[in-house]
Amino acid sequence: MMFDELPAGAGVPQEIEALARENFDLDGDDAARMPAMVWSDAPGAVRVRLVARDGARIVGVAIGSVVGTAGFLDLLVVVPDMRRRGIGSGLIGQWESRATALGAEAL
């Protein structure tokens, strides 16, 4: 399993929108819009955007922010066929490490 940090770039990758659409139980297209709500940098916050890859396939995502000394994990999802393999725990661990490196003392 490989974990990568993604920049804000041109926006939310389509793979992440599809992952949210398929795995969140929300009405209409709200699930696909959810990653966009937490993707962009916000004033006073630094975003941490991580994906878990199995080869080229994105199988999990963790997105959160660091505001001052506080870290907030806003979104965590792992595709159903890859759950119970430690991917979510790995994403959380990587996210915590990155947030701590950015100054978060409370997560």
Side-chain angles (χ1 to χ4, degrees), residues 7-87:
V12 180
Q14 289 181 346
E15 285 178 279
I16 294 175
E17 287 179 354
L19 194 146
R21 185 180 302 109
E22 295 165 7
N23 293 285
F24 290 124
D25 185 20
L26 296 172
D27 294 334
D29 211 29
D30 289 346
R33 287 192 303 266
M34 183 181 279
M37 290 185 233
V38 295
W39 188 265
S40 298
D41 290 326
V46 178
R47 294 282 188 212
V48 178
R49 303 165 200 87
L50 298 174
V51 293
R53 296 182 190 273
D54 183 31
R57 179 183 175 211
I58 293 177
V59 295
V61 61
I63 304 171
S65 57
V66 176
V67 180
T69 59
F72 303 93
L73 182 60
D74 299 313
L75 181 132
L76 175 68
V77 64
V78 175
V79 296
D81 66 313
M82 297 297 284
R83 292 179 184 162
R84 315 276 317 146
R85 299 180 188 197
I87 296 168

